[in-house]
Amino acid sequence: MDTYHAAADRLDTPAEWTFLDPVAERIAALVQRLPLGPARDVLHGVWLGHPLHPALAQAPIGCWTAASLLELTGGDERAVRRLTAAGLAALPPVLLAGWVDWSRLPPTHRRTGLVHAAGAVTAALLHACSLRARCHGHRARGRLLGLAGTGTVGLVAALGGHLAYHQAAGAAHAEAEPRLAPSDWQPLGATADIPLGAPVRRLLGDVPVVVVRTHDDGWTVLADRCTHMAASLSGGEVVAGCLECPLHHSRFRLSDGRPARGPATAAQPRFETRVLAGRMEARPYPEG
Ligand code: FES
């Protein structure tokens, strides 16, 4: 087996650990019940257009990596301590954003996420112990603990990257739909067959889309595959000018497809519409 596949297979292993499911379900229910209010969407990164957690994670990773580099190159002990402390101080919002995203993932992704989180907590404990040892004058022990903490962070980051990119936990799942649909006008059926305010699934070439007819006789055609984790939006319902996903209840504005509520962070792709002689047609918006 070549090196690439050996590494990828190892990173896939936690996704098979079904024994983690009971504890994962309990933690996910707890996180979903946290009274976070609008802060939940802030933590998801709805305002940013992509998940906030990986961006926040740069702070502790950067601090601890810099501390270890200083350590290995004979840098100033006070600077090492400050960087280690800064990494610990930056950690709470990273963990909170991660848990909030994690609680809305399918079971296989949650297993990987749980191992990723356990690794992050281990790394933080190693750095906290390192700082304590340094503050008590045990520099050699502090150095060992700090280097072990940064090594653990590297493994945690590798697993997080695998979860985000390989398992697509943070990817926009409908991004390619407009490019996969035919570029010219496609028939979606008679307007009389599309009821008011109820999403209807249709095909644009091979690409599933969801059609919504609004009260002012306006039409919205969105990609049917939810940008969060690919559920079919045609099984959802129209609420307050938005289409709500049936799986994790993200809401996408009918006016522009942008998420009004997470966990989705990316806009749902929209298609251009027209009605000719009582028949509905749609196509991707021309690029550029
Ligand atoms: S699949 Fe999660 S909100 Fe739609």
Side-chain angles (χ1 to χ4, degrees), residues 169-195:
H173 286 256
E175 188 59 25
E177 306 293 68
R179 291 194 301 279
L180 297 174
S183 58
D184 50 344
W185 291 103
Q186 298 293 311
L188 293 178
T191 55
D193 294 340
I194 299 173

Side-chain angles (χ1 to χ4, degrees), residues 53-115:
H53 170 73
L56 292 178
Q58 304 312 308
I61 292 174
C63 288
W64 292 337
T65 305
S68 292
L69 278 175
L70 274 182
E71 187 66 81
L72 290 170
T73 54
D76 180 62
E77 167 69 8
R78 277 179 309 173
V80 174
R81 277 193 223 168
R82 279 189 201 129
L83 282 166
T84 305
L88 288 168
L91 200 59
V94 181
L95 293 179
L96 192 54
W99 282 117
V100 164
D101 285 347
W102 171 88
S103 71
R104 294 301 195 177
L105 292 177
T108 47
H109 295 64
R110 275 189 193 160
R111 292 169 205 150
T112 305
L114 205 56
V115 177

Side-chain angles (χ1 to χ4, degrees), residues 25-34 40:
E25 260 169 51
R26 229 167 286 149
I27 299 173
L30 204 72
V31 175
Q32 286 168 25
R33 278 202 300 272
L34 286 177
R40 189 176 291 276

Side-chain angles (χ1 to χ4, degrees), residues 9 11 21-22 28 30 44 46 64 72 74 84-85 93 113 121 125 135 146 148 153 166 173 183 195-196 201 238 263:
D9 286 351
L11 291 169
D21 289 353
L30 204 72
H44 279 308
V46 173
W64 292 337
L72 290 170
T84 305
V121 171
L125 286 174
C135 291
V153 165
H166 183 90
H173 286 256
S183 58
L196 196 64
R201 191 173 190 271
V238 176

Side-chain angles (χ1 to χ4, degrees), residues 104 226-231 233 245-250 252 262-264:
R104 294 301 195 177
C226 179
T227 192
H228 176 234
M229 287 306 289
L233 290 180
C245 176
L247 191 53
H248 304 117
H249 310 290
S250 288
F252 300 96

